Amino acid sequence: MKRIQLLPFIFSFLALLHASCTQGSQGKRDTRQKESRQAITKDEILTGADQLGAYLPLLKGKKVGLMGNQTSVVGPDKKHLVDVLLENKIDLRFAFAPEHGFRGSIERGEKVSNEVDEKTGLPLYSLYGKNKKADSIVNSIDIMLFDLQDVGARFYTYIASMHQVMQLCANHGKKIIILDRPNPNGDQVDGPVRKDDKFKSNISFHKIAMIHGLTIGELAQMINGEGWLDKGKKCDLTVISLKNWDHKTPYSLPIIPSPSLPNDVSVRLYMSLCLFEATDVSVGRGTDWPFQVLGYPDPSFGKFTFTPGSKPGMSAHVEQQDKTCYGLDLRDIDPKSSTFTLKYVLDFYKLFKKAGIADQFFARPEFFNKLAGNDKLIQQIKAGMTEDEIKESWKPELEIYKKMRKKYLLYPDFE
């Protein structure tokens, strides 16, 4: 009888112990994120948008257009750039929106509609996809402002949007001002260089390394300097440079750049995990941990489990939705030590091969080739090459790119 009475107390103790362990793990993640954010305050990094005195005088008396989204904020209070411009009596006529929309809440690859900003009444136009009115829209203003937070990977589409805006400005003789922001992955240059134009798309727009190691301001200078605009045109470009930042400085994004990159860990792992987007392996879309977990509905893939569901901004395209996935939990990695690697892709391909379903791994091969910027990587993986062997094969072109990159750096490098 006494033994039975003890059972409720034992269960209560075990429940408290489990809660304590879970909170401890979460506490470590929260502390790591907090420490990373504190680095910004300590170093007093000033983005281009923060430096009002450098660009507001250039806008006075001009008709102005803006390309921005939810990351276009100013100062420690994170006031939106649109509000700042209007408060300073700038004649702001419209804003262009990139992939994910002006407020950053639209699913990857989904259509971004032309609309009106509810708060200010500012006309909003999409530049994600074709916009037949883009030429007349840009031709109606004097100066374009560009302020988007990139993450340093060639397949992140904001840099393709920047190229489009630069081309429009060059076509119509309009000035463009880039408000520069740190590259949270700017401490490395890696991956294959996209060379052949047959792999050109919004996710592989430029002839740069997969992990390009540039800020948007540095890349804009490269686009201009290398003559990559149509017919070799150059746009009238001004970059408002960062202060107190270099390529060795860690940077925690104050505003998430898109729905599936919610924290520092996801931003750092995105470089290595985005290739899975061309497979049926889940990268955690539809969970609270996108680009922080990996899994497939097969128990042989690992002990860690998660079930992708439906989340705002991640509902339209969720791999393995409502299925229990088995794989890896990467949430506790240190973002500062995480660098680009092919390890995860190579390891999961081996798991598919072991399970006898290797032919199912590259579910969308053409998409994989566009992400990679070539059709060699897919063949190298299938051939069983090691990461070192694969990296050695792209080294010559990567070295050429690195030399070109040096010409356009605005900040001290990590080497």
Side-chain angles (χ1 to χ4, degrees):
M1 190 70 176
K2 290 182 179 178
R3 290 178 183 172
I4 295 174
Q5 290 174 341
L6 284 173
L7 286 176
F9 296 102
I10 294 172
F11 290 142
S12 298
F13 173 75
L14 290 174
L16 287 170
L17 181 62
H18 174 74
S20 176
C21 292
T22 302
Q23 290 170 0
S25 177
Q26 183 61 45
K28 289 179 182 178
R29 294 184 196 125
D30 292 343
T31 299
R32 189 176 297 137
Q33 296 289 325
K34 182 178 179 182
E35 288 173 350
S36 186
R37 281 190 287 270
Q38 285 174 342
I40 300 175
T41 304
K42 180 180 177 182
D43 296 338
E44 297 181 325
I45 296 171
L46 293 179
T47 68
D50 292 333
Q51 301 171 61
L52 300 178
Y55 62 92
L56 286 183
L58 303 177
L59 306 179
K60 292 292 184 181
K62 305 291 186 180
K63 291 175 287 186
V64 179
L66 167 69
M67 180 155 212
N69 64 3
Q70 78 284 354
T71 66
S72 308
V73 295
V74 179
D77 57 351
K78 302 174 186 176
K79 182 175 288 189
H80 199 282
L81 179 59
V82 165
D83 299 325
V84 172
L85 294 174
L86 294 178
E87 287 174 4
N88 283 274
K89 310 300 182 185
I90 299 302
D91 185 7
L92 185 61
R93 297 298 180 94
F94 67 86
F96 279 135
E99 184 180 15
H100 305 297
F102 191 67
R103 297 296 176 184
S105 58
I106 297 175
E107 167 67 290
R108 58 168 171 157
E110 290 297 291
K111 182 179 179 181
V112 180
S113 301
N114 299 332
E115 51 189 14
V116 174
D117 184 42
E118 292 181 1
K119 183 176 180 181
T120 63
L122 187 71
L124 302 177
Y125 303 102
S126 171
L127 263 194
Y128 184 64
K130 295 181 179 180
N131 187 330
K132 296 179 180 179
K133 297 181 179 180
D135 284 282
S136 61
I137 292 169
V138 170
N139 202 30
S140 70
I141 49 94
D142 302 308
I143 296 178
M144 272 297 303
L145 271 181
F146 183 96
D147 185 25
L148 292 176
Q149 177 64 64
D150 184 43
V151 298
R154 186 180 61 216
F155 31 67
Y156 206 61
T157 62
Y158 293 172
I159 57 177
S161 295
M162 181 175 70
H163 189 112
Q164 287 178 278
V165 175
M166 291 177 66
Q167 186 69 61
L168 287 165
C169 288
N171 290 347
H172 298 286
K174 307 298 181 181
K175 184 179 185 63
I176 183 170
I177 299 175
I178 306 287
L179 303 181
D180 213 1
R181 290 186 176 272
N183 178 350
N185 291 307
D187 58 337
Q188 54 197 302
V189 177
D190 211 336
V193 176
R194 200 223 88 202
K195 186 177 181 180
D196 197 327
D197 280 350
K198 72 179 180 179
F199 302 110
K200 184 178 180 179
S201 71
N202 274 349
I203 57 170
S204 198
F205 204 82
H206 300 101
K207 297 177 180 179
I208 56 178
M210 183 184 288
I211 314 305
H212 56 69
L214 298 166
T215 67
I216 55 169
E218 291 171 331
L219 178 57
Q221 292 197 145
M222 181 182 287
I223 293 169
N224 238 11
E226 296 300 314
W228 288 346
L229 297 178
D230 289 348
K231 299 178 181 179
K233 290 183 178 180
K234 297 182 187 299
C235 63
D236 182 358
L237 172 68
T238 294
V239 177
I240 306 300
S241 300
L242 300 159
K243 289 187 177 180
N244 306 319
W245 184 83
D246 60 38
H247 285 274
K248 294 178 288 187
T249 304
Y251 185 68
S252 178
L253 303 185
I255 303 290
I256 67 170
S258 51
S260 292
L261 296 180
N263 55 31
D264 299 338
V265 173
S266 62
V267 167
R268 294 290 283 188
L269 284 172
Y270 175 73
M271 301 180 295
S272 303
L273 304 190
C274 192
L275 288 170
F276 282 103
E277 299 276 68
T279 75
D280 285 335
V281 174
S282 171
V283 294
R285 289 185 184 273
T287 74
D288 290 331
W289 322 293
F291 288 100
Q292 299 156 80
V293 296
L294 285 172
Y296 188 75
D298 185 329
S300 68
F301 278 49
K303 294 182 178 180
F304 173 69
T305 62
F306 62 93
T307 303
S310 179
K311 301 289 261 183
M314 290 183 274
S315 299
H317 307 282
V318 177
E319 289 75 13
Q320 309 304 341
Q321 189 166 18
D322 299 326
K323 297 179 181 178
T324 300
C325 292
Y326 302 80
L328 295 178
D329 181 0
L330 305 173
R331 291 173 293 169
D332 284 329
I333 71 160
D334 181 357
K336 294 179 183 177
S337 62
S338 176
T339 56
F340 171 73
T341 179
L342 292 172
K343 171 180 169 55
Y344 303 116
V345 171
L346 295 175
D347 286 352
F348 265 74
Y349 180 73
K350 290 175 184 176
L351 288 172
F352 270 70
K353 196 171 183 179
K354 186 176 180 180
I357 53 174
D359 58 328
Q360 298 179 29
F361 183 74
F362 297 104
R364 295 170 288 282
E366 289 186 7
F367 185 38
F368 188 93
N369 292 341
K370 287 180 179 179
L371 288 168
N374 63 51
D375 55 6
K376 293 180 180 178
L377 181 57
I378 196 170
Q379 300 302 327
Q380 291 170 327
I381 294 171
K382 288 180 177 179
M385 292 178 65
T386 66
E387 179 165 16
D388 286 343
E389 289 171 338
I390 294 172
K391 286 193 171 186
E392 188 66 26
S393 73
W394 68 49
K395 188 175 180 180
E397 291 183 352
L398 188 59
E399 289 302 315
I400 294 172
Y401 168 74
K402 286 180 177 180
K403 290 180 181 179
M404 177 177 68
R405 171 181 171 271
K406 292 284 188 184
K407 297 188 295 181
Y408 301 104
L409 294 182
L410 295 169
Y411 317 101
D413 208 1
F414 55 83
E415 296 178 333

